Amino acid sequence: MAGRSSLPEGYVTPVHRALTEPILIAGAPRMATIVNGTLAAALGLGLQLWIVGLAYWLIAHGLCVFSARRDPQFVDVLIRHVRHKGYLAC
């Protein structure tokens, strides 16, 4: 046990990497990907605006991937930001 700290046996537990990393689908958070895909499908299939639905999905997914590279939990932060009132709001 050279080089280990003086913690008792069994005190340190290894944590699998999958438990700490966010769930991403194609580089974007899972919830954002599902919402974007649903809205794009509604535009493309429901309203029969194929090009608009595809363009919406490409732009929205690209923005989500860009944001997820900076902060993988940006969706949770955005939801929390929308729920809280501004400090000086009347």
Side-chain angles (χ1 to χ4, degrees):
M1 281 209 163
R4 286 210 163 210
S5 62
S6 61
L7 295 173
E9 183 75 26
Y11 189 76
V12 177
T13 304
V15 177
H16 197 276
R17 201 172 104 198
L19 294 173
T20 60
E21 290 182 355
I23 300 173
L24 301 177
I25 298 176
R30 180 177 176 260
M31 185 170 61
T33 303
I34 292 171
V35 169
N36 287 337
T38 303
L39 289 176
L43 285 172
L45 297 173
L47 298 177
Q48 296 183 355
L49 299 172
W50 304 102
I51 302 298
V52 175
L54 182 62
Y56 168 78
W57 182 79
L58 286 173
I59 292 170
H61 189 74
L63 288 173
C64 287
V65 169
F66 175 75
S67 299
R69 285 186 183 161
R70 306 262 339 242
D71 181 15
Q73 297 177 345
F74 81 93
V75 174
D76 299 330
V77 174
L78 182 65
I79 290 171
R80 188 178 306 132
H81 170 73
V82 169
R83 285 186 182 166
H84 286 281
K85 299 268 188 214
Y87 181 69
L88 297 176
C90 295

